[in-house]
Amino acid sequence: MDSQIERILKHSELSVTGGRKKILELFLHNPGALSHGDIEKRAGEKFDRVTVYRTLQIFLEKGIIHAIPTADNSILYALCKNDCSPIGHHDNHVHFICNFCGKMICLENVSIPELNLPPEFNATQVDVVISGICKECK
């Protein structure tokens, strides 16, 4: 696991620090998404809010994680796939958030539909978030 974490950080041209390793490890062990608060609680160490925030921001910029907006105006973060980069995120899939348990699931096999925008508009990011009841809560 440590070698995978170090490989991801070095590939993203980031220095390998204890905080970055710990936060990246949380994403690698969690198949869903995490909130800022989840990361603070699960880190186990005393990371201050600013350190977590800065780490999330640099991971977003480097294409390591992507942000998922929620209906209550909060943000969840999930690990990107291999084709994301600092130039852009390519996680073109739908996100599902359970209304009961709050779990977020990336629906990898459900693509975001193609949008036919007028020529004067250029989309840089499209987020599709579906809320409902997950299979465990059903």
Side-chain angles (χ1 to χ4, degrees), residues 49-92:
R49 294 181 78 76
V50 174
T51 300
V52 173
Y53 175 78
R54 287 183 181 155
T55 302
L56 292 173
Q57 288 305 114
I58 194 73
F59 283 5
L60 282 168
E61 291 169 14
K62 294 292 187 172
I64 296 172
I65 61 173
H66 61 280
I68 303 126
T70 65
D72 65 355
N73 292 324
S74 62
I75 298 176
L76 296 173
Y77 303 93
L79 199 59
C80 285
K81 303 303 171 213
N82 293 334
D83 57 347
C84 289
S85 70
I87 298 170
H89 291 275
H90 303 288
D91 285 295
N92 295 328

Side-chain angles (χ1 to χ4, degrees), residues 96-109:
F96 184 91
I97 299 178
C98 181
N99 292 333
F100 287 129
C101 67
K103 183 167 50 171
M104 194 290 306
I105 302 145
C106 289
L107 300 176
E108 302 287 342
N109 296 325

